[in-house]
Amino acid sequence: MGDSMYVGNAGEDAALDRGWILGHFKGVGDPRRSEDVEVKWGVHPRGDARARWVRGEERTALLVLISGRFRVELPGRSVLLERQGDYVVWGRGVDHSWFAEEESVVLTVRWPSVPGYAVDSEPDTP
């Protein structure tokens, strides 16, 4: 297939890299490597929550609900995504957190793709 194409399954590929299927963290030569944008296929069991609020955000983000019920917490606002296709966009400087009210699948797109945001002890690169 060559280096300029990749065909995969988001659910399967996401399991290999904490949900992320495209971004700066993919290997050199991988068509999924990008410093412009990153994409996450997030599969969250009911009750799953982000460990800590993301603060000092330097990216813009789009989060789209594929299935389930998913709450995004933003400063002064709680947004419930409950219909397939419901989405929320937030910009630079907007802290956020989230909670899966039901088992949920969400697609997140963030730009630009920059390192340094892993919340847990895992490195930001594989």
Side-chain angles (χ1 to χ4, degrees), residues 92-104:
R92 293 175 61 134
V94 177
D95 298 341
H96 70 280
S97 188
W98 51 259
F99 178 76
E101 293 198 351
E102 300 293 342
E103 182 175 322
S104 301

Side-chain angles (χ1 to χ4, degrees), residues 29-83:
D30 187 326
R32 297 170 298 165
R33 181 179 176 88
S34 171
E35 294 177 7
D36 298 318
V37 66
E38 51 196 43
V39 177
K40 182 176 189 176
W41 182 261
V43 179
H44 301 281
R46 180 178 184 162
D48 197 17
R50 181 158 182 102
R52 298 196 300 271
W53 277 64
V54 175
R55 302 194 185 280
E57 179 63 82
E58 293 181 12
R59 301 160 303 186
T60 301
L62 159 71
L63 187 148
V64 183
L65 181 71
I66 306 297
S67 63
R69 279 172 61 97
F70 198 79
R71 185 173 297 280
V72 179
E73 301 290 347
L74 301 164
R77 179 134 189 223
S78 181
V79 178
L80 178 62
L81 307 176
E82 52 187 337
R83 291 186 306 138

Side-chain angles (χ1 to χ4, degrees), residues 101-121:
E101 293 198 351
E102 300 293 342
E103 182 175 322
S104 301
V105 177
V106 296
L107 179 72
T108 304
V109 181
R110 297 190 304 208
W111 62 95
S113 180
V114 293
Y117 284 89
V119 129
D120 50 26
S121 59

